[in-house]
Amino acid sequence: MMQPPENPSEVLKIAVVGTGYRSDAHLSTIAKLPDFYRLTAVCDMIQERAREAAKRYSVNDYTDVEEMLKKARPDVVLATVPPEAHHTVACLAANYGAHILCETPISITQHYADEMVRVAAQNNVKLEITENVWRWPHERFKRMLVEAGVIGELRTARLWYTSGSYHGINGVRTLVGSEVRRAVGMAKVMETHLGRRGTNLYQYRVFGPKDAQLPVRFAESTIATWEAGLLEFENGVMATYEFPISSRPRGNAWEIHGTEGYLSGMDVVLERERRSYRIVTETDEDAGAKVVTRVRLYEGENPVPDLVWENPFVRYKPSDADDVARMDQLIGIYRAATEEIEPEYGAQSARKDMEVLLAVSESAMLGGQPIDLPLTQETNYERRLATFFEQRLDKSS
C-alpha cells in the first residue's frame, strides 16, 4: 500500500470528467484531501449535470473535455465516463500533460487499453485505474491471512459477481497471487422476471439477438445475461466464475479454499482446527462521524491480536471501505505524479483483469474452446464489441 506522505510537496489541480452517479463518491473523497488536491473543474456532456456538480463544489463546469483541458489546465484528470469512452478521455488528457486516474474497467478492448498506455508513456504522464476491490481494508487483510498461511496452500476458488465482474476477478486474482493461464467460458442471453439485476450491457450486445436494440431502461426490462467460466491459474489453483442472472440471495462474493481452511466473504474457517472467525472492520467516532480504523479477526466477541491491518488514512477520516480505497487511489496517483514512481496497481494489472473476462467471453463465442492467456491477438468478441461502438459513432457523426 502506498503510504500518504507526511508533508505533501504541493497541491495538484484535479478535474473530473463525467459527473454521473459514480463521480459523487469520488468528489466527496477529493474534498477530504485538501493537502493533495484542489478541484478545479468538472465536465459532462449533459450540461445540467455538470452545472449541478460544479455548483456543489464551487468550480467551473464544461461540456467539452478539450476546452476544459485548455482552460483549467489540471495536473490530474479523473475519468468517470462509460468504459467505451475511457481511451478517448485518457488519451486527450495525456496529450495535454495531465496524469490520469481512470474508472474501471480500463477499457473494453485490448487495443483501446494499449492505446491509453502508449499515449500516457509518450507524454510522460502516469496512468492509474480506480480498481477498488483489492484496496478495500478487508481485502488487504484477507491477503495478509493468505500470505501468513492461515488457510494453508491454496487449491480452489469460487466467484460470482453481477456488478462489474472485473472487480471479482481482481479480488480472486489478488488473493490467489498468480495469473490465469487458461479460461473456458459459456454465455447466454435470456428472458427472466428478475430484470435488470443480472444484465451485462456488453454481453448483451455480443450474445443478444442480432440487430436487437438495447432497452431504454433496463430497470423495466426482463432481459438478463448469464456467463460462467472455469479459470486455471499458473500456480495450479482452479477457480469457477459466474455472472448470475440475479444477485440474490448471496450478492457479490468469492471464496478461497486452502488445505487448512477457507475464506468465504467475511468468514474464516479453519477446518482441521474446527474453529471459525469473522473478519471485522473496526471504526471510531470522530465529531459524530464514523471513521474506519483497522481490520482484524474476531472469534466470537473476542478480537484476535495476531494479525491487524491498520488504516494509514485515518487522519483523512474515511467513512467506509470504498472511501479508503478512493483515498488510496488518489494519494497513489499523487505520489506517482510528484515522486516519479509507478502507480501501485497500474494499467498492466488492470489489463490482466480485463483479459480474463475477454478470454471467458471468447471461449463462449467459440463453443467452450479453451483460451490461453495472456492473449496474443484481438479476439472475435472484441471485434464484435468494437464494431458496435464504431457503427454508433458513424451514425452520430
Side-chain angles (χ1 to χ4, degrees):
M1 171 179 286
M2 285 204 175
Q3 299 292 324
E6 290 295 328
N7 298 298
S9 59
E10 58 182 311
V11 176
L12 300 182
K13 293 186 295 181
I14 187 169
V16 176
V17 178
T19 55
Y21 81 99
R22 184 58 181 163
S23 70
D24 290 341
H26 286 292
L27 288 165
S28 68
T29 302
I30 290 170
K32 295 180 180 181
L33 301 173
D35 293 343
F36 299 92
Y37 291 106
R38 176 170 67 85
L39 181 65
T40 187
V42 295
C43 180
D44 196 288
M45 63 185 298
I46 301 175
Q47 189 171 54
E48 294 78 10
R49 202 158 63 183
R51 283 180 176 172
E52 193 279 330
K55 184 177 180 181
R56 272 188 290 131
Y57 291 95
S58 301
V59 297
N60 294 323
D61 62 278
Y62 298 86
T63 56
D64 183 271
V65 179
E66 190 161 16
E67 181 188 7
M68 182 204 72
L69 291 166
K70 287 178 179 178
K71 293 182 177 179
R73 288 292 176 182
D75 300 301
V76 176
V77 167
L78 171 57
T80 59
V81 295
E84 59 267 25
H86 284 176
H87 66 288
T88 302
V89 174
C91 292
L92 193 56
N95 283 330
Y96 276 86
H99 303 282
I100 307 124
L101 186 58
C102 183
E103 256 294 351
T104 52
I106 182 172
S107 189
I108 60 171
T109 71
Q110 299 173 81
H111 171 72
Y112 291 153
D114 291 342
E115 185 68 2
M116 292 166 67
V117 172
R118 185 189 70 79
V119 176
Q122 184 179 62
N123 289 279
N124 195 31
V125 298
K126 303 299 183 181
L127 169 61
E128 176 64 305
I129 310 302
T130 67
E131 178 54 65
N132 54 351
V133 166
W134 71 280
R135 291 178 166 108
W136 287 339
H138 51 274
E139 291 299 317
R140 294 275 196 180
F141 184 73
K142 286 181 187 179
R143 186 64 193 155
M144 291 172 62
L145 294 176
V146 169
E147 290 177 346
V150 172
I151 62 171
E153 183 181 349
L154 301 186
R155 294 291 175 81
T156 62
R158 292 200 304 165
L159 159 68
W160 48 102
Y161 218 104
T162 59
S163 56
S165 295
Y166 44 85
H167 289 309
I169 294 295
N170 172 261
V172 170
R173 192 171 68 85
T174 302
L175 290 175
V176 171
S178 181
E179 305 300 343
V180 177
R181 70 179 178 188
R182 188 175 296 114
V184 174
M186 299 178 68
K188 188 175 182 179
V189 174
M190 62 188 76
E191 288 281 334
T192 172
H193 66 282
L194 298 171
R196 173 65 183 89
R197 281 188 176 271
T199 306
N200 179 311
L201 306 187
Y202 304 108
Q203 288 288 336
Y204 178 75
R205 285 170 176 135
V206 173
F207 294 103
K210 187 177 181 181
D211 300 323
Q213 296 297 313
L214 287 173
V216 176
R217 287 177 55 82
F218 267 98
E220 299 170 359
S221 169
T222 58
I223 295 173
T225 60
W226 173 86
E227 182 183 58
L230 179 64
L231 311 176
E232 180 185 2
F233 286 83
E234 291 176 352
N235 64 358
V237 171
M238 300 297 294
T240 57
Y241 150 70
E242 182 182 0
F243 182 102
I245 61 173
S246 173
S247 60
R248 301 183 184 95
R250 296 187 66 104
N252 298 328
W254 46 91
E255 297 177 347
I256 307 292
H257 293 251
T259 53
E260 303 296 323
Y262 62 86
L263 301 174
S264 178
M266 298 299 173
D267 295 317
V268 181
V269 177
L270 301 185
E271 295 175 299
R272 292 191 181 184
E273 297 180 13
R274 296 184 179 181
R275 301 182 75 169
S276 298
Y277 303 87
R278 184 78 177 158
I279 298 172
V280 176
T281 299
E282 297 182 344
T283 60
D284 287 342
E285 293 289 327
D286 190 317
K290 184 174 69 173
V291 177
V292 174
T293 54
R294 65 190 62 83
V295 181
R296 68 174 80 192
L297 282 182
Y298 273 69
E299 187 173 20
E301 299 298 317
N302 302 313
V304 178
D306 296 348
L307 284 172
V308 180
W309 179 87
E310 296 285 353
N311 183 9
F313 309 117
V314 168
R315 66 181 182 271
Y316 306 115
K317 303 181 181 180
S319 58
D320 56 32
D322 216 37
D323 204 8
V324 172
R326 292 191 299 272
M327 288 183 180
D328 196 5
Q329 297 157 11
L330 285 159
I331 292 175
I333 192 67
Y334 175 91
R335 288 197 57 196
T338 59
E339 300 176 24
E340 286 295 319
I341 59 177
E342 292 307 308
E344 189 177 9
Y345 177 59
Q348 294 304 326
S349 290
R351 194 184 188 286
K352 289 177 181 179
D353 289 331
M354 176 188 72
E355 267 192 84
V356 175
L357 290 173
L358 292 177
V360 170
S361 295
E362 180 72 355
S363 175
M365 286 188 68
L366 299 176
Q369 177 180 317
I371 302 297
D372 292 333
L373 287 104
L375 299 176
T376 57
Q377 59 187 9
E378 183 184 35
T379 62
N380 298 293
Y381 173 80
E382 291 173 282
R383 277 193 289 272
R384 288 188 61 177
L385 195 58
T387 298
F388 172 86
F389 288 108
E390 288 164 3
Q391 290 173 344
R392 194 174 71 172
L393 285 173
D394 289 340
K395 290 177 182 178
S396 64
S397 60

